[in-house]
Amino acid sequence: MNIAVVVRQVPDLVEPLEIDASGTALDMDEVEFLINETDDHALEQALLLKESGGGSVTVVAIDFGEVDDVLYTAAAKGADRIVKIPYDDEDCPPRPTEAAAMIAEAVKDIKDIDAELVLVGSSAHDELEGVLAPLLAIKLELPYLGVIRGVKPGEGGQVTAFKEFPGAAMAQMNVKLPAVLGILAADQPPRYVPVSRIRAAMKSTEFEEKETAAAETETGVTVLRMYHPEPSERAEMLTGSEDDVAARLAEILKEKGVIQ
Amino acid sequence: MTTLQTDPGMEFLAQRVDGDPAFGCIQCGTCAASCPLGAAMEYPPRQLILQARSGNLDKILSSASLWMCVGCHTCSSRCPRGIELADDLWPALRDRAMQEGIQPPAELQETFQNIFKYGNSLGESARKRLDWAKELDVPLRDLSKEPTAVEVLWLVCDYPSYYPRNQVVTRDFARVLTALGVRWGVLGNKEKAVGDCDRLYGEEGLFEMLVENNKKLFDKYQFEKIVTLDAHSYRALEHFYPRYGAEYPVEHYTSYLADRLDLLKPLLTKPVKATVTYHDNCCIGRRADIFDQPRMLLEAIPGVKLVEMARNRENALCCGGGGGGMWLDGHIVEHGGQRLSDQRVRQAAEVGAEVLAVSCPLELSRFEDSTKVAGLENKLLVRDIIELLAESMDLGEKEKQ
């Protein structure tokens, strides 16, 4: 099975996020990046499918942030081809509509990929709505199934996908290929690859570049203000002797209806 | 008969173990009997060599035993054939396992990834490297901002930079160095992890990357010697960096200060009344024979009564934090092993110690956690030697809090 996997860069929350002078966007000079966690799972799922049934894994990424590090790691883990889509704006990450158009064009146009399955993380921490995967499916004119926790190879041009519903209910579904799946988690955690492998990949891996036409960036949505969460009400600090604190605590729990 | 030398699967090992003394193993079992976790291992060290020799490499590479060594070096230091089990054999096998796609325990994976991505084992932001110095009351020279020649390039290292309990010790050391009139500097936000004494628990590619990056960094600055609080970094710089062509004069703080005892002694004015026992850490102790210097420092402090645990010096029990053990407690306990730090604090209490003095940054949190497990909280205090020196110099932060 030939699989295309989309990976994205998201801001690393280990670094404090700053808002830029415009007050409507992150200050990209202060941002470090890492691979979107569910995309990492999508890659793992693709590698597992390839290992169990053969085929190839092509990783597709828009050239933003520190994506090269992620791509070399993907190559070290066993991705066969790496396709990078040039992107010029260093200060503004591609919005999902724009990204979907660019990725769809790349996936359609690249000869020989012939992807039967497109895997992408079902959301990202800077895109919790999770619209990239379904938008991509629309652009590719393929069926879409999201919030998938595990994919098994199936019979007759199908795969079996395990979809999670609220309350942790699971559904087992057969999906006719080709299709786009939004991955929440792979069958196993993303694998560790030793650094010597990554460094070897840095020397030997060649990225394929795929220019895409400038995509429509109009989303119909304008950011008016970006801001850090503002606390609306401070916590009440209980002071005094242990007995006073215990009595007040009991009172509060009664007021809130937690105890009778 | 298949031997280590004739087994193609073991060729890599023959190249790794310098002078291949592994072939000289006489199967005496001293290593297995000495190993503090050997009883819980499916393949204790002697068995591991036997299986490797017999061509059963797959068995040992996929065994949980491979990730139970905490690098205490007891086996290596007692081996009659001088086989470097802890520093060479074990890491080489772990590296080989990872090359074959065998996954290290999850917590250790995360540590490797933290070091690779952030340059420190705690996964903290590089920009917070100097957070420990925010409330420092002595001047700090950040060489990354003002490059200038210094006597001492102080590599602060990961735990002393980031971990709150260790930061107290770090500030105390800055005060002690300053009181001694030393011209010292740090690398600020440019500093990255040094690696470890056993080449990063088998992650040799990562270790090699750190050495290359650190060499480039250190070579930018002028200093007479490197001094570090981190026993693991000390051993890495002293023993393994030269193998990669990166040689620097380096000292652990205990030997650095012991050499300056004449200057230090007149400053140790305030008595620290306590019965103290010293825990020999494995990196400066068994590996580098630095046994006397820490004791000289403690004995120089007025009021300190130094007592020895039954297991001391080359026979000291490890805290369990080396060899990646800091991130392997879960794996080790899951496979029937014990946290060695839990045993060690009881040994300290048995000899009537009120203070367990340490000289390795991993030990503060390990032993403090263990005093809680062993019911010794507030009975046995865990303190770095630096804290006791600083207290006697009336510079100590902890007792002022």
Side-chain angles (χ1 to χ4, degrees), chain B residues 225-274:
Chain B
K225 67 174 61 172
I226 291 171
V227 173
T228 178
L229 306 187
D230 190 327
H232 294 258
S233 299
Y234 161 74
R235 178 62 177 173
L237 287 161
E238 182 253 349
H239 190 69
F240 286 109
Y241 270 51
R243 290 192 188 181
Y244 298 83
E247 280 191 63
Y248 302 94
V250 56
E251 281 202 68
H252 184 253
Y253 84 85
T254 50
S255 57
Y256 180 80
L257 291 180
D259 276 351
R260 283 151 190 79
L261 210 50
D262 289 349
L263 290 171
L264 196 60
K265 260 186 185 161
L267 305 175
L268 300 170
T269 50
K270 210 178 122 194
V272 180
K273 284 205 165 57

Side-chain angles (χ1 to χ4, degrees), chain A residues 11-33:
Chain A
D12 189 343
L13 302 180
V14 161
E15 306 291 342
L17 297 179
E18 304 291 342
I19 290 157
D20 74 5
S22 74
T24 60
L26 289 180
D27 182 350
M28 285 294 158
D29 290 340
E30 299 295 321
V31 172
E32 306 280 339
F33 295 91

Side-chain angles (χ1 to χ4, degrees), chain B residues 55-329:
Chain B
N56 293 328
L57 200 55
D58 291 350
K59 267 193 197 169
I60 54 177
L61 294 185
S62 55
S63 159
S65 308
L66 197 61
W67 303 99
M68 292 177 80
C69 170
V70 292
C72 77
H73 211 255
T74 312
C75 54
S76 312
S77 69
R78 291 179 183 171
C79 173
R81 304 303 294 257
I83 300 171
E84 283 292 346
L85 291 108
D87 282 353
D88 282 318
L89 183 69
W90 224 279
L93 290 168
R94 285 182 179 183
D95 186 56
R96 170 70 178 244
M98 286 189 277
Q99 296 296 340
E100 301 212 337
I102 292 167
Q103 296 288 295
E107 212 183 337
L108 190 60
Q109 281 181 39
E110 195 184 329
T111 302
F112 288 149
Q113 275 160 347
N114 285 341
I115 297 172
F116 183 60
K117 178 141 183 70
Y118 304 108
N120 67 78
S121 55
L122 293 98
E124 288 281 356
S125 162
R127 289 178 208 153
K128 295 180 185 165
R129 263 275 172 198
L130 272 182
D131 276 10
W132 65 269
K134 269 185 182 163
E135 285 158 41
L136 185 64
D137 44 14
V138 293
L140 172 137
R141 208 173 277 110
D142 179 354
L143 300 180
S144 69
K145 296 215 170 112
E146 38 157 350
T148 168
V150 289
E151 282 172 71
V152 165
L153 171 61
W154 173 13
L155 290 183
V156 185
C157 299
D158 296 354
Y159 268 76
S161 295
Y162 291 111
Y163 199 76
R165 175 65 183 92
N166 290 93
Q167 288 175 336
V168 176
V169 181
T170 309
R171 285 189 287 270
D172 275 352
F173 189 61
R175 296 181 186 112
V176 171
L177 274 186
T178 306
L180 286 173
V182 178
R183 191 177 159 80
W184 59 273
V186 297
L187 296 175
N189 295 352
K190 299 285 175 211
E191 187 181 322
K192 302 264 187 232
V194 167
D196 210 323
C197 39
D198 37 21
R199 281 173 293 178
L200 260 179
Y201 336 125
E203 224 313 359
E204 295 198 15
L206 182 54
F207 185 76
E208 201 176 294
M209 186 189 95
L210 294 177
V211 177
E212 284 171 21
N213 293 345
N214 279 325
K215 186 172 189 309
K216 275 184 214 147
L217 182 67
F218 300 162
D219 287 347
K220 285 186 195 162
Y221 301 100
Q222 278 182 288
F223 54 88
E224 286 168 28
K225 67 174 61 172
I226 291 171
V227 173
T228 178
L229 306 187
D230 190 327
H232 294 258
S233 299
Y234 161 74
R235 178 62 177 173
L237 287 161
E238 182 253 349
H239 190 69
F240 286 109
Y241 270 51
R243 290 192 188 181
Y244 298 83
E247 280 191 63
Y248 302 94
V250 56
E251 281 202 68
H252 184 253
Y253 84 85
T254 50
S255 57
Y256 180 80
L257 291 180
D259 276 351
R260 283 151 190 79
L261 210 50
D262 289 349
L263 290 171
L264 196 60
K265 260 186 185 161
L267 305 175
L268 300 170
T269 50
K270 210 178 122 194
V272 180
K273 284 205 165 57
T275 303
V276 178
T277 191
Y278 172 66
H279 165 77
D280 290 279
N281 71 64
C282 312
C283 290
I284 68 165
R286 264 186 294 275
R287 279 185 174 84
D289 289 333
I290 302 177
F291 295 117
D292 294 332
Q293 295 90 326
R295 291 175 170 82
M296 284 158 65
L297 294 172
L298 289 169
E299 281 170 337
I301 300 170
V304 164
K305 185 188 163 206
L306 189 62
V307 294
E308 291 291 349
M309 285 180 268
R311 293 191 65 173
N312 62 62
R313 300 173 74 98
E314 46 277 287
N315 192 30
L317 180 68
C318 171
C319 79
M326 198 69 180
W327 303 279
L328 290 168
D329 281 334

